[in-house]
Amino acid sequence: MEEGKGTVGSINLSQKDEEEKVNLSGQVHHLPCCIKFNGPCSVSHYFKPKPKGIEIDGLAVEESHFRGRKLQGTTISLPNGYSGFVLGKKKEISGKRKACDLSEGRSDNWEMKAKFDKLTYWNDDSPPSKDDPFLRSFHWFAVAEALHKPVNSEDLAAAAVALGKN
């Protein structure tokens, strides 16, 4: 690719083309490792999480093993208004590419293959807790919402009073 040329892409999250997309809630796992394989595998045949029957910091602990290593995790819901998506590269219809896409670099078009609103994250050396970095990262959703929330005149007046500037 030539220097200065970028990638043009799109992500299609609509469901209008097909019936309801696959819902993977409760089947999405965030593992503390890197798996260098991309293809089909009968994961549910080998990876069988079981509830431990205890709660830590209000989180129901689950246990499983992966390649002989004990994992402890918990299933969490994504915050209200958020969804997770599994994306796949969209197959292009031959000859339907725009000339501007070709001149600006390569084109990547993605579409939603499945969605989820719950996921299980796993630790390899400790039980899950509210202090886990993965779980703490969810606090950024509230920060982002506060930063992007529209400000109205009542908010400005309250801030002025709080700062002592009538």
Side-chain angles (χ1 to χ4, degrees):
M1 185 172 2
E2 291 180 40
E3 189 175 22
K5 305 266 179 169
T7 300
V8 176
S10 68
I11 299 175
N12 181 2
L13 299 178
S14 69
Q15 297 180 10
K16 63 183 176 186
D17 298 346
E18 303 170 27
E19 64 272 358
E20 186 74 18
K21 298 288 182 183
V22 176
N23 188 346
L24 295 177
S25 290
Q27 300 175 44
V28 176
H29 299 271
H30 182 267
L31 297 171
C33 60
C34 178
I35 301 170
K36 294 184 178 185
F37 176 74
N38 187 12
C41 181
S42 55
V43 174
S44 60
H45 181 71
Y46 299 102
F47 191 72
K48 298 181 179 184
K50 293 183 173 52
K52 275 185 90 170
I54 61 171
E55 276 194 21
I56 299 174
D57 293 338
L59 303 169
V61 179
E62 299 176 47
E63 183 177 278
S64 192
H65 291 82
F66 183 74
R67 294 194 173 177
R69 296 189 179 176
K70 179 178 168 182
L71 300 175
Q72 297 180 78
T74 189
T75 300
I76 56 174
S77 295
L78 297 180
N80 287 336
Y82 290 88
S83 296
F85 297 100
V86 177
L87 302 177
K89 220 166 191 183
K90 190 173 184 176
K91 294 180 179 99
E92 291 191 32
I93 301 168
S94 60
K96 295 276 184 170
R97 243 177 155 179
K98 293 181 183 175
C100 64
D101 289 349
L102 296 172
S103 65
E104 301 220 357
R106 74 169 206 239
S107 175
D108 289 324
N109 296 307
W110 300 83
E111 63 184 348
M112 176 179 52
K113 298 292 186 183
K115 63 182 180 178
F116 59 93
D117 60 7
K118 292 181 183 178
L119 65 95
T120 304
Y121 79 94
W122 298 94
N123 292 335
D124 60 349
D125 56 355
S126 62
S129 80
K130 64 179 180 176
D131 296 324
D132 286 336
F134 182 78
L135 198 54
R136 285 191 355 235
S137 70
F138 280 49
H139 296 301
W140 284 103
F141 291 126
V143 172
E145 186 176 328
L147 286 172
H148 296 286
K149 180 180 168 188
V151 178
N152 57 36
S153 58
E154 291 85 22
D155 294 334
L156 291 173
V161 168
L163 294 172
K165 297 179 181 179
N166 295 334

